Amino acid sequence: ATLAAQTKNLKFCTLIQILPVHHPVEVAKSLATLSLFSDDRVLLGAGAGWMKEEFEVMGVDFKTRGSRFNEMIEVMRKLWTGKKIEHHGEFFELPPLVQTPPPTRPIPILIGGASKAALRRAGRLGDGWCGAGNSLEDAETILKSLQKERKKLTKPSPERPQGPQKRPRRRQERSRTAPRAPRERPRSRQEAPENRSKRTFAPKSARERPRSHPREVLEAILEPPGPHLGAFWEPPGLHL
């Protein structure tokens, strides 16, 4: 804060603060105050930590430092909005509260570390990444990994149709003058199975005459005296 009062353009960044050993309300409050004193020239450089003894002294579980880190970022960004918030997470439980004064704009969070988990966190949750004396070759590899994580985050989701969609009317596809296909005659549910094989389909002229035996109708089809009209006989065992 003293250096911020004596400068105008210089930016300040912590390199690196181990977030999981702290409480998010404490860190968010101190950074918001420093941001006001420096006219929004402060950045948070944070890491998950690697020294197990450091966590044991602070009474924090070393194995859950990554999940705790992610939740702290979420909580601090809520507090920096200046609105009434509450949080119920895995590691932190906050009742409804408002933290004042809030920063005039969100404080950038730079994630440190070169592990896969750190780069994944920097690409998906952080506003940037800060290294620790990496070579040019290593820096190029790390930047490519960060770009891949950014692309996964900003990958556009497939557009979904808005509102109820009307099904196309099939009748519009048909021609109004096109003849309709004849409908099949519905079967009677009470018809006995033994009678199904004896049904005879004949043209209207044939139906006006007295009914003949199915065998006689079949013989008339096989050896018609003249051009027949398409009488049909269904043999036993075949149901249509």
Side-chain angles (χ1 to χ4, degrees):
T2 302
L3 292 175
Q6 302 299 323
T7 57
K8 294 182 180 180
N9 300 321
L10 190 64
K11 294 184 178 181
F12 304 92
C13 178
T14 57
L15 192 67
I16 282 177
Q17 185 173 5
I18 308 301
L19 276 188
V21 297
H22 298 279
H23 196 280
V25 176
E26 171 198 359
V27 180
K29 178 62 177 178
S30 59
L31 287 173
T33 303
L34 183 58
S35 180
L36 292 175
F37 286 153
S38 63
D39 193 18
D40 297 324
R41 288 183 289 137
V42 62
L43 299 89
L44 172 61
W50 59 271
M51 187 181 298
K52 185 177 180 181
E53 293 79 8
E54 186 177 15
F55 285 80
E56 292 176 351
V57 172
M58 300 299 294
V60 179
D61 185 12
F62 180 75
K63 295 181 179 180
T64 60
R65 66 188 187 281
S67 301
R68 186 183 296 268
F69 189 5
N70 297 341
E71 188 173 343
M72 287 189 67
I73 294 177
E74 178 185 358
V75 174
M76 290 189 300
R77 283 174 173 165
K78 287 181 179 180
L79 294 170
W80 288 336
T81 60
K83 301 178 182 179
K84 185 177 181 180
I85 64 104
E86 62 179 310
H87 181 81
H88 307 283
E90 181 180 0
F91 303 99
F92 304 101
E93 191 78 16
L94 301 181
L97 59 89
V98 178
Q99 189 180 81
T100 55
T104 56
R105 61 182 180 182
I107 299 175
I109 300 177
L110 310 183
I111 308 297
S115 64
K116 293 182 179 180
L119 296 178
R120 191 183 309 113
R121 184 178 295 109
R124 299 183 181 183
L125 298 179
D127 299 305
W129 173 80
C130 49
N134 302 91
S135 63
L136 181 60
E137 292 77 10
D138 294 340
E140 290 179 355
T141 304
I142 292 174
L143 289 177
K144 290 181 181 179
S145 301
L146 291 174
Q147 290 175 357
K148 290 181 180 179
E149 296 297 333
R150 283 293 185 182
K151 288 181 180 180
K152 293 179 182 179
L153 183 64
T154 58
K155 185 177 181 181
S157 58
E159 297 182 359
R160 296 182 179 179
Q162 301 293 333
Q165 298 295 319
K166 296 183 178 180
R167 298 180 62 181
R169 298 180 60 181
R170 296 183 179 180
R171 294 183 179 179
Q172 295 178 358
E173 299 177 359
R174 300 178 181 177
S175 176
R176 295 183 178 180
T177 59
R180 294 185 179 182
R183 297 183 180 180
E184 296 183 359
R185 181 181 178 183
R187 299 177 181 177
S188 176
R189 296 183 179 179
Q190 299 179 357
E191 184 179 1
E194 58 273 9
N195 297 331
R196 294 179 181 176
S197 60
K198 299 180 181 180
R199 290 180 297 174
T200 302
F201 297 89
K204 184 176 180 180
S205 58
R207 291 199 303 267
E208 293 177 353
R209 299 191 299 269
R211 293 186 178 182
S212 303
H213 193 272
R215 185 173 299 277
E216 298 175 359
V217 177
L218 180 61
E219 293 175 355
I221 296 174
L222 296 178
E223 298 179 0
H228 64 87
L229 299 178
F232 181 78
W233 176 68
E234 182 180 355
L238 181 61
H239 305 285
L240 299 178

